[in-house]
Structure formats: C-alpha cells, structure tokens
Amino acid sequence: MLKRVFGLPLQLTSKRTLSTVFYQRMSEQTATTPATPVADVPPQQKQKSGKGKKSKLQVSLKTPKGTKDWSDIDMVIREAIFTTLSNLFKKHGGQTIDTPVFELREILAGKYGEDSKLIYNLEDQGGELTSLRYDLTVPFARFVAMNNIQNIKRYHIAKVYRRDQPAMTKGRMREFYQCDFDVAGAYESMVPDAEILDIIVEGLTSLGINDFKIKLNHRKILDGIFQVSGVSDEDVRKISSAVDKLDKSPWEAVKKEMVVDKGQTEETADKIGEYVKLNGSLREVYDALSQDPIICANEKASEGLNEMENLMKYTEAFGIDKFISFDLSLARGLDYYTGLIYEAVTAASAAPENAAELKKKSKSSEDASEYVGVGSIAAGGRYDNLVNMFAQASGKKSGSQIPCVGISFGVERIFSLIKQRMTAADIKPIYTQVYVMAFGGGKDWTGYLPERMKVAKQLWDAGIETEYVYKSKANPRKQFEAAEKSGAPLAVILGKEEYAEGKLRIKRLGPEFADDDGELVDASEFVAVVQDKLSQVHEDGVNEVSRLIRGL
C-alpha cells in the first residue's frame, strides 16, 4: 500500500501537491542535509606586464550584429520545424546533401544582381578568394555541374549569410537557416514546378500557417512585358529589381527609380505600370494576358503563357489553386531565375503602413524590426541556365543543360510566426517523459541508485526519454522538484519494500494527480505499462510541441 511504502495518508488534499506532502512527511523521518557553504573565491592573481602595469582582457559579451544565440525552448521549436520540413522533403523523394559554408568567390559572383553587395567576403587564405554562401541554390548548381549529375531531387537544411540590415524579431537576420528542396533534370514542362508549389502548401500548412498566399509570376512573361514597353535587353534585370520593390514601395517611388536612376522614359515606365499592377487568380490573370494582342505577339511572353496554361492543369489536380495569386509585380531580383518565380507571404510579411515615419523615429541603427515586416517566408523559382553556366565556365562540354526548379523556406521568419502562438508555459525545453524515483528509510536504506539506473536503462532501451536524480539517497522533495522541472508526465517509483517484492509503482505527475496513488505493476511488465500510459498522456496522442507547430 502507498501508506506502508511512503508513510503517507492515502488521501491528499487537492490544494497540496504530492511533492509538498512527501517533503513534509519525509522530513520528519530523515535528517536534512546541511547546506554546503560556498568557499571564498581567492582573488585573481595580478598579471603584470614588463612595466608592472595590470593587463586586462576586455571583450564585448554580445553576438555580432544580425546574429543571436538560441535558447533551449527556442531550439525545441526550431528542431520541430526542421523535422517537419525534412520529413516532407523525404516524402517527395528528396535526398540530402551538404556543401561548404564558404565557396570560391567567383562561384557566387554575378548571380545575385544588386544584392551581390550583401555577400560576406572572407580574407585571402593561401591564394584563394572565398565568400560565405549567400544561399543554397548556387552551391547546389555548382555541385550538380561539378559531379555531372543529370537528375536529382535534393534537399538541404543549412545556414547562409547576408550583410543585410537585421530585423531580429521579424526573423530577418545576417545568419539564418534555409530549408531548400530542388528538382534538377529535364522533365515535361511545369510538372516539377507544380510539385514544388504543392510542397510549399504542404510545408506551411503542416507548420500551422494557413493564412498565406503564394505570389507567382513568370520571368518570360515579365521579360516580354519589359520588351513591349521599350526596355532594352541589357536593362531588363535592372528594371526587374525596381519592379520587385512594389511590395514595399508605392508605384510612384518605383517609377521614379526607373526613370531617374535607371534611365527609362516616362512612357516606358507608364507602360510597365499598366501590367505590373495586375494580379488575381491564375485563371483571371492568364485570361487577361492571353487576350492582349501585344503580349501574345511577343515571343517570350507567349512562351510563358503556354507554360502557365500547363501549370494551371497541374495546380488544379493538386487542389492548391486557392493558395496562389498570379501577381505581375513579383520580379525576384536574383539574376539566375529563368521561368516561374514565386514567394509565400502572410499578413505579417508587409511592413507597417507608417513604416517611413517609424523609420525616422527609430532610435536603433542595429535593428529594423520597428518598421519592416517579416517579408516572404518561402521563395524560389526556375533556374535553367545556372548549371550549364558553371559547366561551360569550367571547360566542360556544352550541352550540360540541366534545368532546375526549387523552393527555400526561411526558418527564422517561420519561427517568428510560430513563436507568436506560444506562451511561456506551452513548451518545456527538454523531452523527458518518465522520471525514475526511489523512496525508503531506515539505517539500511541505500537510496536504490543502481536500481534506478537499471530501470532507467530499460526505459532508454525502449526509446523512452527518462531521467533520475544523480544522488544515492535523494531527498523526496528534490526528486519531485526535478521531475516537475523536467516536465515529465509520468513517474516510475521504486518503493523500498515494493521493489524488494518485484513491484514498481507508475504514477501520473502534476498537481491534478496529487490524490492518485498510481498503479502497482510487476517489474517484468512495467515498460509496456509505461508505454501504454504515455500514449494516453497527450490529447489525441499529440504532444505540446507538435500541437504548437501545427497550430492546433
């Protein structure tokens, strides 16, 4: 009986936790251990320079601008994001690779348009000029060309680096993770592209993000619009980067950049404006463009429209049309995109309406969180020439034309959205499911430390996260406090007399179970009983982290 094992009454009041009652009763039987005084810390020895002056090492205890340390609770959420996305990528046939965190500078040069200024260049090391990777796409294309790969579905989860203005609370950082999935190889038009769009929808909804839109455009259509508007071929990428700012700036500001900064005529800018302000469903925008004789007469735009016609059949088959907006203002400034381009946005993506005013009032030059939005939470597109560019530049035979399309999820930005759902009590920083305890008394009481270790080992071997106090004669209150801190929902208790009879007590933990004596089971069967009880702990079998991640 519980009373015989612990010396406690069977009925416990609901307002008193089990650990409090254990401590009060056990303290009457067991002498408390006196606190060990903290030893005086001897003064540091004075280090003197040759001139007899003190030498002090002074450092700033901070992380570099645009970076941060991640706490234990943060990492629980982040690991769940990584696991969710990597499982999704595997489900779609992905295989993972890894590439160096820095590349030869010439590999990255000329791939990112105006954003090339954000690349972190490293010092000359033995004659090699290198830079930290800006994304995972260019290293992947280099990998495909270097290894003469004809087709691959690859995913890669790793850090990238950009010397951008940080907005830390919005997940816009200088060091951040990307989760990429790409399909390389020659396939029928828009088939891989449609699956990538489905992966975006699956990925975000599985992370509990449902209020998003995939803004989508086609570079061939956009380039055709520029051509019929009077933009020369050499100016197309410059104008693309201007148009890409329409999600952050009004049309008047973008038009001014085109005319004043990038040398286009007023007529050209106005013509571009007629098209890039157009957005709506895939069908609506496609119909509007396909009925425009000027657009249809342009070779590039017409080719893009034909591909969009195929895409609509596939997105309908996947049932994802409702998540997609055909938005002609989307340009994606990176130079390597050649076809479909897209980015996923939420209500939090946009900057505040009074962003300019907030920027003027901001007192921080280190962080732009006050006046910027989260931005896109996933983005990507088709890049058919990048692998061939590397193959030709390395002297390989031409013809290594490996078309590619992919998506990159921004972990930090997604994390910032998920963390808004949680309160401090939602998540525990450790995964402990069972706490092994032992209670007894008398002169011959050893504390059952080896026995606790044996029980813990059996639970570990069964794949169950388990802990116990690292002390021979552990105070009952300390054991319950440790169990509470771990967040373990279940305890396996070794009572002095019960364990000697081959019995273990399995008990739910928490104030609401203070009156529950637990279940006495045979030691030979306790693992199966623990597994069964753990399956009943979480609502619908889903733990707190999974519920938070899925937005349940």
Side-chain angles (χ1 to χ4, degrees), residues 428 430-436 459-460 463-467 483 486-492 506-509 530-531 533-538 541-545:
K428 298 291 190 299
I430 49 181
Y431 296 91
T432 305
Q433 297 296 301
V434 178
Y435 217 92
V436 179
L459 292 168
W460 291 333
I464 299 170
E465 299 89 343
T466 304
E467 286 192 88
S486 76
L490 212 62
V492 173
I506 301 174
K507 174 176 170 43
R508 286 292 303 272
L509 295 175
V530 166
Q531 290 171 325
K533 288 188 177 294
L534 285 176
S535 70
Q536 302 171 25
V537 165
H538 303 296
V542 181
N543 65 28
E544 290 82 359
V545 178

Side-chain angles (χ1 to χ4, degrees), residues 222-295:
L222 193 60
D223 287 352
I225 289 172
F226 293 152
Q227 285 182 349
V228 301
S229 300
V231 178
S232 63
D233 289 345
E234 59 267 23
D235 287 344
V236 163
R237 288 297 172 257
K238 291 193 300 183
I239 301 305
S240 290
S241 65
V243 170
D244 200 41
K245 296 173 184 175
L246 276 171
D247 62 335
K248 308 178 188 71
S249 305
W251 166 247
E252 291 72 20
V254 172
K255 178 182 176 181
K256 180 181 178 182
E257 181 178 337
M258 288 183 185
V259 175
V260 177
D261 300 336
K262 298 187 174 176
Q264 304 303 307
T265 66
E266 290 264 354
E267 183 182 1
T268 293
D270 288 338
K271 189 68 174 176
I272 292 171
E274 291 177 14
Y275 288 107
V276 298
K277 295 175 186 177
L278 185 62
N279 64 80
S281 70
L282 285 173
R283 175 57 62 183
E284 289 170 342
V285 178
Y286 171 81
D287 287 346
L289 292 174
S290 62
Q291 293 168 19
D292 186 324
I294 298 176
I295 292 296

Side-chain angles (χ1 to χ4, degrees), residues 36-48:
T36 304
V38 179
D40 292 333
V41 179
Q44 295 180 347
Q45 293 182 348
K46 296 179 179 179
Q47 296 182 354
K48 297 182 178 181

Side-chain angles (χ1 to χ4, degrees), residues 359-388:
K359 185 175 182 179
K360 290 179 181 179
K361 293 181 179 179
S362 177
K363 298 179 180 178
S364 173
S365 60
E366 296 288 307
D367 194 312
S369 296
E370 295 178 21
Y371 51 86
V372 303
V374 170
S376 62
I377 55 177
R382 174 162 285 280
Y383 50 104
D384 286 347
N385 299 330
L386 196 52
V387 173
N388 189 46

Side-chain angles (χ1 to χ4, degrees), residues 285-316:
V285 178
Y286 171 81
D287 287 346
L289 292 174
S290 62
Q291 293 168 19
D292 186 324
I294 298 176
I295 292 296
C296 291
N298 180 270
E299 183 179 354
K300 280 191 174 182
S302 179
E303 186 178 342
L305 284 173
N306 289 336
E307 292 181 358
M308 291 300 297
E309 187 176 16
N310 286 331
L311 180 70
M312 287 189 292
K313 292 184 291 187
Y314 305 142
T315 56
E316 183 179 351

Side-chain angles (χ1 to χ4, degrees), residues 11-12 18 51 68 70 72 99 119 124 135 138 157 163 323 382 395 436 456 461 464 477 512 517-518 532 537 542:
Q11 297 299 321
L12 302 176
L18 189 57
K51 296 183 180 180
K68 66 170 289 183
W70 297 96
D72 46 11
T99 61
I119 294 174
D124 183 352
D135 63 9
V138 171
I157 299 177
R163 284 191 309 111
F323 294 101
R382 174 162 285 280
V436 179
D461 288 345
I464 299 170
R477 184 187 70 174
E512 65 271 35
D517 299 338
D532 180 62
V537 165
V542 181

Side-chain angles (χ1 to χ4, degrees), residues 20-241:
T20 302
V21 177
F22 270 151
Y23 171 66
Q24 290 174 342
R25 296 301 300 268
M26 293 299 290
S27 62
E28 297 172 2
Q29 304 173 22
T30 309
T32 57
T33 304
T36 304
V38 179
D40 292 333
V41 179
Q44 295 180 347
Q45 293 182 348
K46 296 179 179 179
Q47 296 182 354
K48 297 182 178 181
S49 65
K51 296 183 180 180
K53 294 182 179 179
K54 294 180 181 178
S55 176
K56 293 183 179 180
L57 176 64
Q58 293 185 341
V59 296
S60 296
L61 287 179
K62 64 182 289 291
T63 60
K65 181 179 178 180
T67 67
K68 66 170 289 183
D69 297 320
W70 297 96
S71 71
D72 46 11
I73 293 177
D74 288 344
M75 287 306 299
V76 170
I77 301 171
R78 290 166 66 79
E79 286 181 0
I81 295 172
F82 295 143
T83 300
T84 299
L85 292 177
S86 61
N87 287 341
L88 168 64
F89 298 154
K90 292 173 187 175
K91 184 170 70 174
H92 283 263
Q95 53 186 287
T96 191
I97 67 167
D98 196 13
T99 61
V101 74
F102 52 91
E103 295 274 350
L104 293 177
R105 195 172 299 174
E106 62 197 34
I107 295 291
L108 305 184
K111 311 300 188 301
Y112 304 107
E114 293 183 358
D115 285 344
S116 292
K117 63 182 181 292
L118 305 180
I119 294 174
Y120 272 102
N121 292 324
L122 304 179
E123 290 185 2
D124 183 352
Q125 298 291 337
E128 282 193 338
L129 295 177
T130 59
S131 302
L132 293 178
R133 61 188 173 203
Y134 179 91
D135 63 9
L136 300 178
T137 304
V138 171
F140 170 61
R142 189 265 306 152
F143 174 87
V144 171
M146 183 173 156
N147 293 282
N148 197 29
I149 294 171
Q150 297 303 303
N151 55 71
I152 185 176
K153 285 183 175 181
R154 94 75 169 88
Y155 73 91
H156 192 184
I157 299 177
K159 289 181 177 180
V160 298
Y161 300 85
R162 299 180 185 179
R163 284 191 309 111
D164 210 346
Q165 172 68 349
M168 301 298 285
T169 63
K170 305 296 178 66
R172 301 167 71 108
M173 305 173 68
R174 291 184 163 187
E175 177 191 61
F176 56 96
Y177 270 95
Q178 287 187 335
C179 295
D180 281 24
F181 184 93
D182 292 77
V183 179
Y187 300 96
E188 287 189 26
S189 173
M190 308 308 285
V191 174
D193 308 64
E195 185 167 353
I196 292 292
L197 293 173
D198 181 67
I199 288 173
I200 300 173
V201 174
E202 282 191 65
L204 295 180
T205 54
S206 66
L207 293 170
I209 301 172
N210 298 294
D211 60 336
F212 67 91
K213 276 289 182 184
I214 301 173
K215 293 169 59 177
L216 177 149
N217 200 359
H218 200 301
R219 282 300 274 265
K220 291 178 182 178
I221 295 174
L222 193 60
D223 287 352
I225 289 172
F226 293 152
Q227 285 182 349
V228 301
S229 300
V231 178
S232 63
D233 289 345
E234 59 267 23
D235 287 344
V236 163
R237 288 297 172 257
K238 291 193 300 183
I239 301 305
S240 290
S241 65

